[in-house]
Amino acid sequence: MSEGVEWALHSCLNLAWIGPERAVAAARLAAYHDLPAAYLNKRLQALARAGIVTSVSGPKGGFRLARALDRITLMDVVTAIEGPDEVFRCAEIRQQGPGAGHPRTYAAECAVAGAMGRAELAWRRELAAQTLDDVRQRAELQAPTAPERLRRWFADA
């Protein structure tokens, strides 16, 4: 999984803490985490295409959340950034090399592919079961002053 997922998740939390009344430029969101603005902007555009954030044009434009954090799952963000494809793709390498001449051996599903598929399904279910509001609540328990510090930092813009 790319680090773009991490930055997208943090950006969504930051936008929630900033509040729905204010759109924030990608460059400003990037500056908060010391990221290249173009890098983060691509991820924010992907979130916008997925309906997670909205893009506001104009001099006071930028990004804001399109829906409440309790309606955005971790899987929504992962899919927006990484795409919907399965992470593991079986290339049937078991049928290469010396084993290639024994087709009956490969009639059943590849055991490796089966195990990886089950693991990915569990991973996707867990991501779909957690919302960004769940993450926000944990973050605020761990660092109760973080939202206010963030709001002050963005207010100084």
Side-chain angles (χ1 to χ4, degrees):
M1 186 179 317
S2 73
E3 66 183 9
V5 171
E6 178 184 4
W7 297 119
L9 291 165
H10 279 282
S11 293
C12 287
L13 288 176
N14 291 349
L15 289 171
W17 283 330
I18 290 165
E21 64 284 343
R22 181 173 176 205
V24 181
R28 189 71 175 145
L29 283 167
Y32 189 76
H33 290 292
D34 207 17
L35 290 173
Y39 175 85
L40 184 59
N41 189 54
K42 286 181 183 178
R43 279 55 192 182
L44 292 167
Q45 291 295 332
L47 292 174
R49 284 189 298 277
I52 295 169
V53 301
T54 57
S55 178
V56 179
S57 58
K60 296 225 179 223
F63 294 90
R64 64 171 56 122
L65 287 176
R67 55 190 199 250
L69 289 183
D70 65 353
R71 294 184 47 229
I72 304 169
T73 68
L74 298 183
M75 192 71 237
D76 293 335
V77 176
V78 170
T79 301
I81 301 302
E82 298 290 322
D85 296 337
E86 293 179 358
V87 176
F88 181 81
R89 290 172 199 83
C90 181
E92 280 293 335
I93 65 168
R94 67 187 178 150
Q95 295 186 42
Q96 298 174 10
H102 303 283
R104 277 192 278 174
T105 305
Y106 309 113
E109 175 190 44
C110 173
V112 170
M116 294 301 287
R118 288 187 300 279
E120 182 162 346
L121 182 58
W123 173 74
R124 286 178 180 270
R125 283 182 178 153
E126 184 62 26
L127 290 175
Q130 292 184 63
T131 68
L132 279 175
D133 197 50
D134 299 330
V135 176
R136 179 200 56 80
Q137 290 175 35
R138 282 191 297 273
E140 289 176 4
L141 284 173
Q142 292 171 347
T145 61
E148 184 55 36
R149 281 183 295 141
L150 179 126
R151 281 190 286 276
R152 276 197 311 269
W153 191 89
F154 278 94
D156 291 342

